């Protein structure tokens, strides 16, 4: 009998969600947040136990942002990556202020932030002398600059003509260098070799609310990745090699979320990046202005950015910090703020925007096979997860969504049926168990093309059907699972002016931060960068290209500084 995980998380940092099976105890899968037509692999039902945490040796503490620490490239780390050790190191390594601005502050410590920290720490990619890339045009371009680091080459030129499952040219470039023919089922090894060149390192600080790995640490560890485990890896440490040393294995090429979170945490330790990371850190404000002219003999103009926030301690106390930086990189993901319908009654206590609320209500007995139905709003994978979870426990469900069942835009119509049977079962239920169509799915009814108008205090939900008529249903619990938005409330105007369309909400899928495609620097603010889902890259395998673009841009800036 497989263990039912204690928590089900519908969305995690820029890339992940849960899926439950229809039969037996729920099995879980973690998939990129925007699977859609870019789905990356099959669904694995089997569960695995997350691996135990390691206990690395803690590095010696540093004085907060002291000039010597900054000069040496050694920045304060309140605690090393493992959660237990981290909680013991929430000390005062972030001072109230820093006398000297940092070259770079990275906000967000998920895969995006980790990869960028790796590149900024002097780890430099070169093409192996004996390597031949299977893409002939790319191979010809690479052969024109032998012995030159990828970060020192023209990324626009190298990425021209590449095609793949991503719209970002640099993301495609880095992915094809790391995994030359993976989309064609091949097994050509990375053509890159990595050199640690300390003289190229740029001092930086990575701020995150979780341990390194970001929101991966918020997922139930037994959930299984929907993407191939190898595609969750970071440069120069393959997931399969890491798992082999941990005496663990991939299940049908998939890994558990617990293993991946452990891998990211361990990656930071193995690559010697721990001193750059500050966990339990919440950024509350990022402000910038016009740089002041340099005084005679000064090396740089005054810093553009002031980053403020606090670090949470074990006793829940909050230690404030205020740091200055020449450059700020946004790598926060997009799952911070659930999307809302804005209907009357959405703030009532029985209305939730998180799938975990259903599990808590089931455990508390608030919902049961004999209770009123759970109302689930949405037609994405999170809503499907909720349907499957409720069905497993026999909880009656009303499932409402605005689109027609056969709308090609629905994710179910874009996932291969053989690879994702659970989700296609939900799609079948949505089609066959309409309120007007009897079917064998007892306890479930779908409301296609219905719009929620109102939620009442007496737990009644009012809908408008496709014909414009109103329908009222009594419900025990409401789950509004219609996506999420990034929380950039720490930026002026909550970052609205940074989006491609400033008049629309920031969205990883529809309206990301407007960045230069080859540097990932904001079009609207010099020195401000965005990467990962904020810039439209929604898969772990592709966010690394953003890190390459940012690191290359920052290295060029450093090279232009006067001696």
């Amino acid at each position: 009998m497989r263990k039912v995980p204690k928590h089900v998380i519908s969305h995690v940092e820029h890339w992940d969600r849960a899926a439950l099976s229809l039969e037996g105890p729920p099995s879980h899968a973690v998939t990129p947040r925007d699977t859609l037509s870019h789905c990356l692999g099959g669904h694995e039902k089997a569960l695995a136990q997350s691996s135990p945490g390691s206990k690395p040796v803690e590095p010696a503490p540093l004085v907060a942002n002291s000039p010597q620490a900054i000069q040496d490239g050694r920045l304060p780390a309140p605690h090393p990556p493992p959660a237990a050790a981290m909680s013991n190191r929430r000390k005062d390594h972030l001072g109230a202020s820093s006398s000297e601005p940092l070259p770079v502050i990275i906000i967000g410590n998920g895969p995006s932030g980790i990869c960028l920290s790796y590149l900024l720490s002097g780890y430099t990619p070169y093409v192996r002398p004996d390597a031949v890339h299977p893409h002939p045009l790319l191979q010809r371009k690479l052969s024109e600059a032998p012995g030159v680091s990828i970060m020192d080459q023209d990324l626009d030129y190298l990425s021209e003509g590449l095609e793949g499952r991503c719209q970002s040219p640099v993301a495609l470039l880095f992915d094809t260098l790391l995994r030359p023919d993976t989309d064609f089922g091949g097994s050509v090894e990375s053509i890159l070799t990595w050199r640690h060149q300390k003289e190229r390192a740029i001092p930086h600080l990575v701020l995150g609310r979780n341990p390194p790995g970001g929101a991966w640490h918020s997922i139930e560890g037994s959930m299984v990745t929907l993407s191939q485990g190898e595609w969750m890896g970071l440069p120069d440490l393959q997931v399969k090699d890491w798992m082999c040393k941990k005496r663990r294995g991939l299940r049908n090429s998939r890994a558990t979320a617990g293993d991946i979170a452990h891998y990211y945490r361990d990656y930071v330790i193995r690559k010697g990046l721990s001193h750059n990371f500050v966990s339990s850190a919440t950024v509350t404000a990022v402000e910038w202005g016009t740089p002041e002219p340099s005084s005679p003999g000064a090396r740089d103009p005054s810093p553009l950015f002031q980053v403020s926030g606090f670090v949470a301690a074990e006793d829940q106390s909050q230690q404030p910090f205020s740091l200055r930086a020449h450059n700020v990189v946004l790598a926060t993901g997009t799952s911070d703020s659930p999307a809302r319908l804005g209907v009357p009654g959405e703030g009532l206590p029985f209305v939730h925007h998180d799938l975990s609320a259903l599990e808590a209500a089931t455990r508390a007995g608030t919902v049961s096979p004999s209770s009123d139905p759970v109302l689930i709003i949405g037609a994405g994978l999170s809503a499907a997860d909720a349907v499957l979870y409720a069905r497993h426990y026999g909880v009656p469900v009303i499932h409402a969504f605005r689109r027609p069942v056969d709308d090609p835009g629905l994710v179910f119509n874009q996932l291969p049926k053989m690879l994702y049977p659970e989700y296609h079962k939900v799609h079948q239920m949505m089609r066959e168990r309409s309120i007007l169509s009897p079917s064998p799915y007892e306890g479930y009814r779908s409301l296609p093309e219905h719009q929620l108008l109102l939620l009442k205090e007496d737990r009644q939900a009012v809908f408008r059907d496709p014909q414009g008529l109103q329908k009222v249903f009594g419900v025990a619990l409401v789950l509004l699972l219609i996506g999420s938005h990034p929380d950039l409330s720490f930026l002026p105007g909550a970052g609205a002016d940074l989006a491609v369309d400033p008049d629309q909400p920031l969205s990883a899928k529809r309206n990301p931060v407007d960045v230069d495609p080859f540097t990932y620097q904001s079009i609207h603010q010099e020195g401000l960068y965005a990467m990962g889902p904020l810039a439209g890259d929604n898969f772990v395998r592709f966010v690394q290209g953003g890190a390459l673009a940012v690191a290359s841009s920052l290295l060029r800036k450093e090279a232009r500084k006067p001696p």
Side-chain angles (χ1 to χ4, degrees):
M1 195 75 165
R2 293 172 297 177
K3 176 186 176 184
V4 179
K6 294 181 178 180
H7 299 285
V8 180
I9 306 297
S10 62
H11 286 293
V12 295
E13 181 187 62
H14 64 352
W15 315 300
D16 311 297
R17 50 157 336 58
L20 311 180
S21 75
L22 284 170
E23 299 176 357
S27 67
H28 298 265
V30 181
T31 175
R33 181 173 172 227
D34 290 313
T35 317
L36 302 180
S37 60
H38 307 289
C39 56
L40 300 180
H43 175 60
E44 165 63 43
K45 291 186 179 181
L47 294 177
Q49 299 298 324
S50 59
S51 11
S54 60
K55 297 182 178 179
V57 177
E58 297 185 26
L62 300 174
V63 177
N65 299 309
S66 66
Q68 183 61 44
I70 295 173
Q71 180 179 344
D72 294 343
R74 297 180 293 111
L75 298 174
H79 35 264
M86 285 181 177
S87 62
N88 294 327
R89 293 285 304 281
R90 292 170 188 167
K91 305 272 174 93
D92 51 348
H93 297 305
L94 280 178
S97 62
S98 172
S99 59
E100 184 177 345
L102 290 163
V104 184
I105 289 179
I106 303 168
I107 303 174
N109 63 355
S112 298
I114 295 173
C115 187
L116 180 55
S117 177
Y118 178 72
L119 296 175
L120 295 182
S121 296
Y123 289 94
T124 309
Y126 291 83
V127 176
R128 287 188 288 107
D130 60 338
V132 177
H133 198 282
H135 193 293
L137 178 59
L138 179 58
Q139 173 58 31
R140 179 180 64 79
K141 293 178 180 179
L142 293 171
S143 64
E144 294 173 359
V148 179
S149 163
I150 296 297
M151 289 197 291
D152 295 330
Q153 297 192 41
D154 186 339
L155 300 182
D156 186 351
Y157 175 65
L158 290 181
S159 59
E160 185 180 8
L162 296 178
E163 297 180 353
R165 299 178 177 181
C166 179
Q167 299 300 314
S168 167
V170 182
L172 285 175
L173 170 65
F174 202 28
D175 184 64
T176 196
L177 294 173
L178 292 169
R179 308 170 186 87
D181 61 349
T182 187
D183 285 334
F184 300 98
S187 57
V188 176
E189 293 184 358
S190 170
I191 68 166
L192 299 179
T193 183
W194 293 87
R195 303 177 191 171
H196 191 197
Q197 300 172 311
K198 295 181 179 180
E199 69 278 6
R200 294 172 62 96
I202 299 177
H204 61 281
L205 197 63
V206 186
L207 306 175
R209 288 178 291 187
N210 293 310
W216 281 91
H217 293 282
S218 302
I219 310 172
E220 168 61 38
S222 59
M223 294 161 63
V224 180
T225 62
L226 190 59
S227 297
Q228 292 188 27
E230 278 303 290
W231 292 349
M232 313 306 292
L234 299 178
D236 202 30
L237 180 59
Q238 294 190 39
V239 170
K240 64 180 180 181
D241 294 339
W242 178 87
M243 295 190 73
C244 182
K245 292 181 179 179
K246 295 292 180 180
R247 298 185 178 181
R248 301 188 60 77
L250 300 174
R251 304 286 292 273
N252 290 348
S253 81
R254 305 299 184 258
T256 66
D259 282 333
I260 295 302
H262 188 190
Y263 163 83
Y264 291 143
R265 190 178 63 187
D266 202 34
Y267 183 94
V268 170
I269 299 171
R270 291 195 180 201
K271 299 302 181 181
L273 311 178
S274 298
H275 61 281
N276 296 322
F277 284 73
V278 178
S279 299
S280 302
T282 298
V283 173
T284 57
V286 176
E287 299 173 330
W288 60 83
T290 303
E292 299 176 1
S294 300
S295 58
R299 180 172 180 177
D300 296 312
S302 299
L304 289 174
F305 300 93
Q306 188 85 23
V307 180
S308 304
F310 62 86
V311 176
E314 279 186 343
D315 59 3
Q316 304 304 312
S317 63
Q318 297 178 352
Q319 175 198 337
F321 65 82
S322 181
L323 303 169
R324 297 185 295 168
H326 293 297
N327 301 278
V328 169
V329 182
L330 305 175
T332 59
T334 64
S335 61
D336 293 313
S337 178
R340 298 178 181 273
L341 284 177
V343 299
E346 189 169 359
L348 291 171
F350 61 90
V351 181
H352 303 274
H353 298 80
D354 193 326
L355 181 54
S356 61
L358 177 58
E359 184 197 25
T362 304
R363 185 171 59 248
T366 307
V367 297
S368 69
S370 59
S371 70
D372 283 338
V374 170
L375 172 60
I376 298 171
I377 307 288
L381 300 182
S382 294
D385 295 341
V387 169
L388 292 166
Y389 188 94
R391 182 163 174 78
H392 169 69
Y393 287 103
V395 176
V397 170
I398 296 175
H399 184 192
F401 42 96
R402 291 189 178 186
R403 295 184 182 183
V405 176
D406 295 321
D407 187 325
L410 287 184
V411 64
F412 310 104
N413 292 317
Q414 302 179 43
L415 297 178
K417 291 184 179 181
M418 295 298 293
L419 298 179
Y420 303 90
E422 289 91 343
Y423 289 136
H424 280 280
K425 190 66 175 179
V426 172
H427 193 208
Q428 180 182 352
M429 294 165 63
M430 292 164 63
R431 178 183 296 108
E432 297 181 3
R433 193 59 173 105
S434 170
I435 189 172
L436 301 177
S437 304
S439 83
Y441 303 116
E442 295 297 330
Y444 172 90
R445 63 172 55 178
S446 69
L447 304 179
E449 300 180 77
H450 278 60
Q451 180 181 357
L452 181 64
L453 300 177
L454 171 67
L455 294 166
K456 298 182 177 181
E457 292 185 8
D458 60 356
R459 296 180 185 259
Q460 293 208 336
V462 182
F463 285 90
R464 180 187 293 126
D465 71 8
Q467 289 72 42
L469 301 176
Q470 290 192 5
K471 294 186 175 76
V472 181
F473 299 92
V475 298
L477 187 77
V478 178
L479 292 179
L480 299 180
L481 304 175
I482 56 174
S484 60
H485 300 297
D487 180 8
L488 297 181
S489 58
F490 54 84
L491 293 178
D497 294 340
L498 302 176
V500 173
D501 184 352
D503 296 327
Q504 298 296 322
L506 194 65
S507 166
K509 180 184 174 185
R510 298 180 181 87
N511 192 30
V513 174
D514 196 2
V515 298
D516 181 289
F518 301 103
T519 66
Y520 281 61
Q521 185 170 222
S522 168
I523 298 297
H524 305 289
Q525 176 59 48
E526 183 181 357
L528 185 67
Y529 295 79
M531 56 186 297
L534 287 175
D537 295 336
N538 296 294
F539 304 100
V540 171
R541 64 181 286 199
F542 292 131
V543 303
Q544 301 172 58
L548 176 69
V550 174
S552 178
S553 174
L554 292 172
L555 281 167
R556 283 179 168 83
K557 285 185 178 181
E558 287 292 306
R560 290 196 298 265
K561 285 184 177 181

